[in-house]
Amino acid sequence: MEQLFMNWRAYIHTDPAILGGKPIIKGTRLSVELLLDRLANGWTEQMIFDSYPNLPAEALKAVYGFMLDTIKDDVFQIQPSVRQAS
């Protein structure tokens, strides 16, 4: 299967003077973290674009590409959650 890779570097960068150097969408103060937080908390892509109308349509694809590149070669061990007695 052919894989197409998003050139996330065209949309995401870091600048120590902006948000303490967190990865952000170029030309904005929107961090990758903020966008992922919104998605993780149930926001749809449309809700994000409605709330941030200047966000380029390719920006979320760039966020996904960035995250893929960030985790693809790492191995994570997820610990089972511990349930507390009620």
Side-chain angles (χ1 to χ4, degrees):
M1 176 155 99
E2 180 181 340
Q3 292 184 347
L4 301 175
F5 293 98
M6 156 57 77
N7 180 15
W8 58 262
R9 287 173 181 82
Y11 297 90
I12 296 173
H13 76 123
T14 60
D15 180 338
I18 302 173
L19 297 178
K22 290 183 177 187
I24 61 168
I25 304 299
K26 289 181 179 179
T28 76
R29 294 181 62 82
L30 296 175
S31 68
V32 168
E33 177 184 7
L34 175 96
L35 296 172
L36 289 171
D37 179 73
R38 297 291 190 263
L39 291 165
N41 282 293
W43 284 40
T44 64
E45 289 184 0
Q46 188 60 52
M47 291 168 73
I48 289 173
F49 291 124
D50 289 346
S51 295
Y52 308 105
N54 294 328
L55 186 67
E58 293 292 310
L60 283 183
K61 289 181 186 176
V63 168
Y64 302 143
F66 172 80
M67 291 308 302
L68 175 61
D69 276 355
T70 301
I71 68 168
K72 72 180 175 185
D73 294 327
D74 291 330
V75 176
F76 297 91
Q77 293 184 359
I78 299 174
Q79 301 298 319
S81 59
V82 177
R83 294 187 181 188
Q84 297 196 6
S86 306

Coordinates of all heavy atoms in Angstrom, one line a residue:
M1 N 0.8 -1.2 0.0 CA 0.0 0.0 0.0 C 0.9 1.2 0.0 O 1.8 1.4 0.8 CB -0.9 0.0 1.2 CG -1.7 1.2 1.3 SD -3.2 1.0 2.3 CE -3.0 1.6 3.8
E2 N 0.6 2.1 -0.9 CA 1.4 3.4 -1.0 C 1.0 4.3 0.2 O -0.2 4.5 0.5 CB 1.1 4.1 -2.3 CG 1.8 5.3 -2.5 CD 1.5 6.0 -3.8 OE1 1.0 5.4 -4.7 OE2 1.8 7.2 -3.9
Q3 N 2.0 4.9 0.8 CA 1.8 5.8 1.9 C 2.1 7.3 1.4 O 3.1 7.5 0.8 CB 2.6 5.5 3.1 CG 2.2 4.2 3.7 CD 3.0 4.0 5.0 OE1 4.0 4.6 5.3 NE2 2.5 3.0 5.8
L4 N 1.2 8.2 1.7 CA 1.5 9.6 1.4 C 1.7 10.3 2.7 O 1.0 10.1 3.7 CB 0.2 10.2 0.7 CG -0.2 9.5 -0.6 CD1 -1.4 10.2 -1.2 CD2 1.0 9.7 -1.6
F5 N 2.8 11.0 2.8 CA 3.1 11.7 4.0 C 2.8 13.2 4.0 O 3.2 13.8 3.0 CB 4.6 11.4 4.4 CG 4.9 10.0 4.6 CD1 5.4 9.2 3.7 CD2 4.6 9.4 5.9 CE1 5.7 7.8 3.9 CE2 4.9 8.1 6.1 CZ 5.4 7.3 5.1
M6 N 2.2 13.6 5.0 CA 1.9 15.1 5.1 C 3.2 15.8 5.5 O 3.9 15.3 6.4 CB 0.9 15.3 6.2 CG 0.8 16.6 6.9 SD 0.6 18.0 5.9 CE -1.1 18.0 5.5
N7 N 3.5 16.8 4.8 CA 4.7 17.6 5.2 C 4.3 18.6 6.3 O 4.0 19.7 6.1 CB 5.2 18.4 4.0 CG 6.4 19.2 4.3 OD1 7.1 19.1 5.4 ND2 6.8 20.2 3.5
W8 N 4.2 18.0 7.5 CA 3.7 18.9 8.6 C 4.7 20.0 8.9 O 4.2 21.0 9.5 CB 3.5 18.0 9.9 CG 4.7 17.2 10.4 CD1 5.0 15.9 10.1 CD2 5.8 17.7 11.2 NE1 6.2 15.6 10.7 CE2 6.7 16.6 11.4 CE3 6.0 18.9 11.8 CZ2 7.8 16.8 12.2 CZ3 7.2 19.1 12.6 CH2 8.0 18.0 12.8
R9 N 5.9 19.9 8.5 CA 6.9 21.0 8.8 C 6.5 22.3 8.1 O 6.9 23.4 8.4 CB 8.3 20.6 8.4 CG 8.9 19.6 9.4 CD 10.2 19.0 8.9 NE 10.7 18.1 9.8 CZ 10.4 16.8 9.9 NH1 9.5 16.3 9.0 NH2 10.9 16.0 10.7
A10 N 5.7 22.2 7.0 CA 5.2 23.4 6.3 C 4.2 24.2 7.2 O 3.9 25.3 6.9 CB 4.6 23.0 5.0
Y11 N 3.6 23.5 8.2 CA 2.6 24.1 9.0 C 2.9 24.3 10.5 O 2.3 25.1 11.2 CB 1.3 23.3 8.9 CG 0.8 23.2 7.5 CD1 1.1 22.2 6.6 CD2 -0.1 24.2 7.0 CE1 0.7 22.2 5.3 CE2 -0.6 24.1 5.7 CZ -0.2 23.1 4.9 OH -0.7 23.1 3.6
I12 N 3.8 23.5 11.0 CA 4.1 23.5 12.4 C 5.6 23.8 12.7 O 6.5 23.3 11.9 CB 3.8 22.1 13.0 CG1 2.3 21.7 12.9 CG2 4.3 22.0 14.5 CD1 2.0 20.3 13.3
H13 N 5.8 24.7 13.7 CA 7.2 25.0 14.1 C 7.2 25.3 15.5 O 6.2 25.4 16.2 CB 7.7 26.1 13.2 CG 7.2 27.5 13.6 ND1 8.0 28.5 13.9 CD2 5.9 28.0 13.6 CE1 7.3 29.6 14.2 NE2 6.0 29.3 14.0
T14 N 8.4 25.6 16.0 CA 8.5 26.0 17.4 C 9.3 27.3 17.4 O 10.1 27.5 16.5 CB 9.3 25.0 18.3 OG1 10.6 24.7 17.7 CG2 8.5 23.6 18.4
D15 N 9.0 28.1 18.4 CA 9.7 29.4 18.6 C 9.7 29.6 20.1 O 8.7 29.7 20.7 CB 8.9 30.5 17.9 CG 9.5 31.9 18.0 OD1 10.3 32.1 19.0 OD2 9.2 32.7 17.2
P16 N 10.9 29.7 20.7 CA 11.0 29.9 22.1 C 10.3 31.1 22.6 O 9.9 31.1 23.8 CB 12.5 30.0 22.4 CG 13.2 29.4 21.2 CD 12.2 29.6 20.0
A17 N 10.0 32.1 21.8 CA 9.3 33.3 22.2 C 7.8 33.1 22.2 O 7.1 34.0 22.6 CB 9.7 34.4 21.3
I18 N 7.3 32.0 21.6 CA 5.8 31.8 21.6 C 5.5 30.5 22.3 O 6.0 29.5 22.0 CB 5.4 31.7 20.1 CG1 5.8 32.9 19.3 CG2 3.9 31.4 20.0 CD1 5.5 32.8 17.8
L19 N 4.6 30.7 23.3 CA 4.1 29.6 24.1 C 5.2 28.7 24.7 O 5.1 27.5 24.8 CB 3.1 28.8 23.4 CG 1.8 29.5 22.9 CD1 1.0 28.5 22.1 CD2 1.1 30.0 24.1
G20 N 6.3 29.3 25.0 CA 7.4 28.6 25.7 C 8.1 27.6 24.8 O 8.7 26.6 25.2
G21 N 7.9 27.7 23.4 CA 8.6 26.8 22.5 C 7.7 25.6 22.2 O 8.2 24.7 21.5
K22 N 6.5 25.6 22.6 CA 5.6 24.4 22.2 C 5.4 24.5 20.7 O 5.4 25.5 20.1 CB 4.2 24.6 22.9 CG 4.3 24.3 24.4 CD 2.9 24.3 25.0 CE 2.9 24.0 26.5 NZ 1.6 23.9 27.0
P23 N 5.2 23.3 20.1 CA 4.9 23.3 18.7 C 3.6 24.0 18.4 O 2.6 23.7 19.1 CB 4.8 21.8 18.4 CG 5.4 21.1 19.5 CD 5.3 21.9 20.7
I24 N 3.6 24.9 17.4 CA 2.4 25.7 17.1 C 2.2 25.6 15.6 O 3.1 25.3 14.8 CB 2.5 27.1 17.6 CG1 3.7 27.8 16.9 CG2 2.6 27.3 19.1 CD1 3.7 29.3 17.0
I25 N 1.0 26.0 15.2 CA 0.7 26.2 13.8 C 1.3 27.5 13.4 O 1.1 28.6 14.0 CB -0.9 26.2 13.5 CG1 -1.5 25.0 14.1 CG2 -1.2 26.5 12.1 CD1 -1.1 23.7 13.4
K26 N 2.1 27.5 12.3 CA 2.8 28.7 11.9 C 1.8 29.9 11.6 O 0.7 29.6 11.1 CB 3.5 28.5 10.6 CG 4.7 27.6 10.7 CD 5.4 27.4 9.4 CE 6.7 26.5 9.6 NZ 7.4 26.3 8.3
G27 N 2.2 31.1 12.1 CA 1.3 32.2 11.9 C 0.2 32.4 12.9 O -0.6 33.2 12.8
T28 N 0.2 31.5 13.9 CA -0.8 31.5 14.9 C -0.2 31.3 16.3 O 1.0 31.1 16.4 CB -1.9 30.4 14.8 OG1 -1.3 29.1 15.2 CG2 -2.4 30.3 13.3
R29 N -1.0 31.4 17.3 CA -0.6 31.0 18.6 C -1.3 29.8 19.1 O -1.5 29.5 20.3 CB -0.8 32.2 19.6 CG 0.1 33.4 19.3 CD -0.1 34.5 20.3 NE 0.2 34.1 21.7 CZ 1.4 34.1 22.2 NH1 2.5 34.5 21.5 NH2 1.6 33.8 23.5
L30 N -1.8 29.0 18.1 CA -2.5 27.7 18.4 C -1.5 26.6 18.5 O -0.8 26.3 17.5 CB -3.5 27.4 17.3 CG -4.6 28.4 17.1 CD1 -5.5 28.1 15.9 CD2 -5.5 28.5 18.4
S31 N -1.4 26.0 19.6 CA -0.5 24.9 19.8 C -1.1 23.6 19.4 O -2.3 23.4 19.3 CB 0.0 24.8 21.3 OG -1.1 24.4 22.1
V32 N -0.2 22.7 19.0 CA -0.6 21.3 18.7 C -1.3 20.7 19.9 O -2.3 20.1 19.7 CB 0.6 20.5 18.3 CG1 0.3 19.0 18.2 CG2 1.2 20.9 17.0
E33 N -0.8 21.0 21.0 CA -1.4 20.5 22.3 C -2.8 21.0 22.4 O -3.7 20.2 22.7 CB -0.6 21.0 23.5 CG -1.1 20.5 24.8 CD -0.3 21.1 26.0 OE1 0.6 21.9 25.8 OE2 -0.7 20.7 27.1
L34 N -3.1 22.2 22.2 CA -4.5 22.8 22.3 C -5.4 22.1 21.3 O -6.5 21.7 21.7 CB -4.5 24.3 22.0 CG -5.9 24.9 22.0 CD1 -6.2 25.5 23.3 CD2 -6.0 25.9 20.9
L35 N -5.0 21.9 20.1 CA -5.8 21.3 19.1 C -6.1 19.8 19.4 O -7.2 19.4 19.3 CB -5.2 21.4 17.7 CG -5.1 22.9 17.2 CD1 -4.3 23.0 15.9 CD2 -6.5 23.5 17.0
L36 N -5.1 19.1 19.9 CA -5.3 17.7 20.3 C -6.2 17.7 21.5 O -7.0 16.7 21.6 CB -4.0 17.0 20.6 CG -3.1 16.8 19.3 CD1 -1.7 16.3 19.7 CD2 -3.8 15.8 18.4
D37 N -6.1 18.6 22.4 CA -6.9 18.6 23.6 C -8.4 18.8 23.2 O -9.3 18.1 23.7 CB -6.5 19.8 24.5 CG -7.4 19.8 25.7 OD1 -7.3 19.0 26.6 OD2 -8.2 20.8 25.8
R38 N -8.6 19.7 22.2 CA -10.0 19.9 21.8 C -10.6 18.7 21.2 O -11.7 18.3 21.5 CB -10.0 21.1 20.7 CG -9.6 22.4 21.2 CD -10.6 23.0 22.2 NE -10.4 24.4 22.5 CZ -9.7 24.8 23.6 NH1 -9.2 23.9 24.4 NH2 -9.6 26.1 23.8
L39 N -9.8 18.0 20.3 CA -10.2 16.8 19.7 C -10.5 15.7 20.7 O -11.5 14.9 20.6 CB -9.2 16.3 18.6 CG -9.1 17.2 17.4 CD1 -7.9 16.9 16.6 CD2 -10.4 17.1 16.5
A40 N -9.6 15.5 21.7 CA -9.7 14.5 22.7 C -10.9 14.7 23.6 O -11.5 13.8 24.2 CB -8.4 14.5 23.5
N41 N -11.4 16.0 23.6 CA -12.6 16.3 24.4 C -13.8 16.4 23.6 O -14.8 17.1 24.1 CB -12.3 17.6 25.3 CG -11.4 17.3 26.4 OD1 -11.8 16.6 27.3 ND2 -10.1 17.7 26.4
G42 N -13.8 15.8 22.5 CA -15.1 15.7 21.7 C -15.3 16.8 20.6 O -16.4 16.7 20.0
W43 N -14.4 17.7 20.5 CA -14.7 18.7 19.4 C -14.5 18.0 18.1 O -13.6 17.1 17.9 CB -13.6 19.8 19.5 CG -13.9 20.8 20.6 CD1 -14.3 20.6 21.8 CD2 -13.6 22.2 20.5 NE1 -14.4 21.8 22.5 CE2 -14.0 22.8 21.7 CE3 -13.2 23.0 19.4 CZ2 -13.9 24.2 21.9 CZ3 -13.1 24.4 19.7 CH2 -13.4 25.0 20.9
T44 N -15.3 18.4 17.1 CA -15.1 17.9 15.8 C -14.2 18.8 15.0 O -13.9 20.0 15.5 CB -16.5 17.9 15.0 OG1 -16.9 19.2 14.9 CG2 -17.5 17.0 15.7
E45 N -13.7 18.4 13.9 CA -12.8 19.3 13.1 C -13.6 20.5 12.7 O -13.0 21.6 12.7 CB -12.3 18.5 11.9 CG -11.3 17.5 12.2 CD -10.7 16.8 11.0 OE1 -11.1 17.2 9.8 OE2 -9.8 15.9 11.1
Q46 N -14.9 20.4 12.4 CA -15.7 21.5 12.0 C -15.8 22.5 13.1 O -15.7 23.7 12.9 CB -17.1 21.1 11.5 CG -17.9 22.2 10.9 CD -17.2 22.8 9.7 OE1 -16.8 22.1 8.8 NE2 -17.0 24.2 9.7
M47 N -15.9 22.0 14.4 CA -16.0 22.9 15.5 C -14.7 23.7 15.7 O -14.7 24.9 16.0 CB -16.3 22.1 16.8 CG -17.7 21.6 16.9 SD -17.9 20.4 18.2 CE -17.9 21.4 19.6
I48 N -13.6 23.0 15.4 CA -12.3 23.7 15.5 C -12.2 24.8 14.4 O -11.8 25.9 14.7 CB -11.1 22.7 15.4 CG1 -11.1 21.8 16.6 CG2 -9.8 23.4 15.1 CD1 -10.1 20.7 16.6
F49 N -12.5 24.5 13.2 CA -12.5 25.5 12.1 C -13.5 26.6 12.3 O -13.2 27.8 12.0 CB -12.7 24.8 10.8 CG -11.6 23.9 10.4 CD1 -11.8 22.6 10.0 CD2 -10.2 24.4 10.3 CE1 -10.7 21.8 9.7 CE2 -9.2 23.6 10.0 CZ -9.4 22.2 9.6
D50 N -14.6 26.3 12.9 CA -15.6 27.4 13.3 C -15.0 28.3 14.3 O -15.2 29.5 14.3 CB -16.9 26.8 13.7 CG -17.7 26.1 12.6 OD1 -17.4 26.3 11.4 OD2 -18.7 25.4 12.9
S51 N -14.3 27.7 15.3 CA -13.8 28.5 16.4 C -12.5 29.3 16.0 O -12.2 30.3 16.6 CB -13.5 27.6 17.6 OG -14.7 27.1 18.1
Y52 N -11.8 28.7 15.1 CA -10.5 29.3 14.7 C -10.5 29.5 13.2 O -9.9 28.7 12.4 CB -9.3 28.5 15.1 CG -9.3 28.1 16.6 CD1 -9.7 26.9 17.1 CD2 -9.1 29.1 17.5 CE1 -9.8 26.6 18.4 CE2 -9.1 28.8 18.9 CZ -9.4 27.6 19.3 OH -9.5 27.3 20.7
P53 N -11.3 30.5 12.7 CA -11.5 30.6 11.2 C -10.3 30.9 10.4 O -10.3 30.6 9.2 CB -12.5 31.7 11.1 CG -12.5 32.5 12.4 CD -12.0 31.5 13.4
N54 N -9.2 31.3 11.0 CA -8.0 31.6 10.3 C -7.1 30.4 10.2 O -6.0 30.4 9.6 CB -7.2 32.8 10.9 CG -8.0 34.1 10.7 OD1 -8.7 34.3 9.7 ND2 -7.8 35.0 11.7
L55 N -7.5 29.3 10.8 CA -6.7 28.0 10.8 C -6.8 27.4 9.4 O -7.9 27.1 8.9 CB -7.3 27.1 11.8 CG -6.5 25.8 12.0 CD1 -5.1 26.1 12.7 CD2 -7.3 24.9 13.0
P56 N -5.6 27.2 8.7 CA -5.7 26.6 7.4 C -6.3 25.2 7.5 O -6.0 24.4 8.5 CB -4.2 26.5 7.0 CG -3.5 27.5 7.9 CD -4.3 27.5 9.2
A57 N -7.0 24.8 6.5 CA -7.6 23.5 6.4 C -6.6 22.3 6.6 O -6.9 21.3 7.2 CB -8.4 23.3 5.1
E58 N -5.4 22.5 6.0 CA -4.4 21.5 6.1 C -3.7 21.4 7.5 O -3.0 20.5 7.8 CB -3.3 21.8 5.1 CG -3.8 21.6 3.6 CD -4.1 20.2 3.3 OE1 -3.3 19.3 3.6 OE2 -5.2 19.9 2.8
A59 N -4.0 22.4 8.4 CA -3.3 22.4 9.7 C -3.6 21.2 10.5 O -2.7 20.6 11.2 CB -3.7 23.7 10.4
L60 N -4.9 20.7 10.5 CA -5.2 19.5 11.3 C -4.5 18.3 10.7 O -4.0 17.4 11.5 CB -6.7 19.3 11.5 CG -7.4 20.2 12.5 CD1 -8.8 19.8 12.6 CD2 -6.7 20.2 13.8
K61 N -4.4 18.2 9.4 CA -3.7 17.1 8.8 C -2.2 17.1 9.2 O -1.6 16.1 9.5 CB -3.8 17.1 7.3 CG -5.2 16.7 6.8 CD -5.2 16.7 5.3 CE -6.6 16.5 4.8 NZ -6.7 16.6 3.4
A62 N -1.7 18.3 9.3 CA -0.3 18.5 9.8 C -0.1 18.1 11.2 O 0.9 17.5 11.6 CB 0.1 20.0 9.6
V63 N -1.1 18.4 12.1 CA -1.1 17.9 13.5 C -1.0 16.4 13.5 O -0.2 15.8 14.3 CB -2.3 18.5 14.3 CG1 -2.4 17.8 15.6 CG2 -2.2 20.0 14.4
Y64 N -1.9 15.8 12.7 CA -1.9 14.3 12.7 C -0.5 13.8 12.2 O 0.0 12.8 12.8 CB -3.0 13.8 11.8 CG -4.4 14.2 12.2 CD1 -5.4 14.5 11.3 CD2 -4.8 14.4 13.6 CE1 -6.6 14.9 11.6 CE2 -6.0 14.8 13.9 CZ -7.0 15.1 12.9 OH -8.2 15.5 13.3
G65 N 0.0 14.4 11.2 CA 1.3 13.9 10.7 C 2.4 14.1 11.7 O 3.3 13.3 11.8
F66 N 2.4 15.3 12.4 CA 3.4 15.6 13.4 C 3.3 14.5 14.5 O 4.3 14.0 14.9 CB 3.1 17.0 14.0 CG 3.9 17.3 15.2 CD1 5.2 17.7 15.1 CD2 3.4 17.2 16.5 CE1 6.0 18.1 16.2 CE2 4.1 17.5 17.6 CZ 5.4 18.0 17.4
M67 N 2.1 14.2 14.9 CA 2.0 13.2 16.0 C 2.4 11.8 15.5 O 3.1 11.1 16.3 CB 0.5 13.1 16.5 CG 0.1 14.4 17.3 SD 1.2 14.9 18.6 CE 1.2 13.4 19.6
L68 N 2.1 11.5 14.3 CA 2.5 10.2 13.8 C 4.1 10.1 13.8 O 4.6 9.1 14.2 CB 2.0 10.0 12.4 CG 2.5 8.7 11.7 CD1 2.1 7.5 12.4 CD2 2.0 8.7 10.2
D69 N 4.7 11.1 13.3 CA 6.2 11.2 13.3 C 6.7 11.1 14.7 O 7.8 10.6 14.9 CB 6.7 12.4 12.5 CG 6.8 12.2 11.0 OD1 6.5 11.1 10.6 OD2 7.1 13.2 10.3
T70 N 6.0 11.7 15.6 CA 6.5 11.8 17.0 C 6.5 10.4 17.7 O 7.4 10.1 18.4 CB 5.7 12.8 17.8 OG1 5.8 14.1 17.2 CG2 6.1 12.9 19.2
I71 N 5.5 9.6 17.4 CA 5.3 8.4 18.1 C 5.6 7.1 17.3 O 5.7 6.0 17.9 CB 3.9 8.2 18.7 CG1 2.9 8.1 17.6 CG2 3.6 9.4 19.6 CD1 1.5 7.6 18.1
K72 N 5.8 7.2 16.0 CA 5.8 6.0 15.2 C 7.0 5.0 15.5 O 6.9 3.8 15.3 CB 5.8 6.3 13.7 CG 7.1 6.9 13.2 CD 6.9 7.2 11.7 CE 8.1 7.9 11.2 NZ 7.9 8.3 9.8
D73 N 8.1 5.5 16.0 CA 9.2 4.6 16.3 C 9.4 4.4 17.7 O 10.4 3.7 18.1 CB 10.5 5.2 15.7 CG 10.5 5.2 14.1 OD1 9.9 4.3 13.6 OD2 11.1 6.2 13.6
D74 N 8.5 4.8 18.6 CA 8.6 4.6 20.0 C 7.8 3.4 20.4 O 6.8 3.1 19.8 CB 8.2 5.9 20.8 CG 9.2 7.0 20.6 OD1 10.4 6.7 20.4 OD2 8.8 8.2 20.7
V75 N 8.1 2.8 21.5 CA 7.4 1.7 22.1 C 6.8 2.2 23.4 O 7.6 2.7 24.2 CB 8.2 0.5 22.3 CG1 7.4 -0.6 23.0 CG2 8.8 0.0 20.9
F76 N 5.5 2.1 23.6 CA 4.9 2.5 24.8 C 4.3 1.4 25.6 O 3.8 0.4 24.9 CB 3.8 3.5 24.5 CG 4.2 4.8 23.8 CD1 4.3 4.9 22.5 CD2 4.7 5.9 24.6 CE1 4.7 6.0 21.8 CE2 5.1 7.0 24.0 CZ 5.2 7.1 22.6
Q77 N 4.4 1.4 26.9 CA 3.8 0.4 27.7 C 2.7 1.1 28.5 O 3.0 2.0 29.3 CB 4.8 -0.3 28.6 CG 5.8 -1.1 27.9 CD 6.8 -1.8 28.8 OE1 6.7 -1.7 30.1 NE2 7.7 -2.6 28.3
I78 N 1.5 0.7 28.2 CA 0.4 1.3 28.9 C 0.0 0.4 30.0 O -0.3 -0.8 29.9 CB -0.8 1.5 27.9 CG1 -0.4 2.4 26.7 CG2 -2.0 2.0 28.6 CD1 -1.4 2.5 25.7
Q79 N 0.0 1.0 31.2 CA -0.3 0.3 32.4 C -1.8 0.2 32.5 O -2.6 1.1 32.2 CB 0.2 1.0 33.6 CG 1.8 1.2 33.6 CD 2.5 -0.1 33.6 OE1 2.1 -1.1 34.3 NE2 3.5 -0.2 32.8
P80 N -2.3 -1.0 33.0 CA -3.7 -1.1 33.2 C -4.2 -0.1 34.3 O -3.5 0.2 35.2 CB -3.9 -2.6 33.7 CG -2.6 -3.1 34.0 CD -1.6 -2.2 33.4
S81 N -5.4 0.4 34.1 CA -5.9 1.3 35.1 C -6.3 0.6 36.3 O -6.7 -0.6 36.3 CB -7.1 2.1 34.5 OG -8.1 1.2 34.2
V82 N -6.1 1.2 37.4 CA -6.5 0.6 38.7 C -7.8 1.2 39.1 O -8.0 2.4 39.2 CB -5.4 1.0 39.8 CG1 -5.8 0.4 41.1 CG2 -4.0 0.5 39.4
R83 N -8.8 0.3 39.3 CA -10.1 0.7 39.7 C -10.1 0.8 41.3 O -9.6 -0.1 42.0 CB -11.2 -0.3 39.3 CG -11.3 -0.3 37.8 CD -12.4 -1.1 37.4 NE -12.5 -1.1 35.9 CZ -13.5 -1.6 35.2 NH1 -14.5 -2.2 35.9 NH2 -13.5 -1.6 33.9
Q84 N -10.7 1.9 41.7 CA -10.9 2.0 43.2 C -12.2 1.5 43.6 O -13.2 1.6 42.9 CB -10.8 3.5 43.5 CG -9.4 4.0 43.2 CD -9.1 5.3 43.9 OE1 -9.9 5.8 44.7 NE2 -8.0 5.9 43.5
A85 N -12.2 0.9 44.8 CA -13.5 0.3 45.3 C -14.5 1.5 45.6 O -14.1 2.5 46.1 CB -13.2 -0.5 46.6
S86 N -15.7 1.2 45.3 CA -16.8 2.2 45.6 C -17.2 2.1 47.0 O -17.4 1.1 47.5 CB -17.9 2.0 44.6 OG -17.5 2.0 43.3

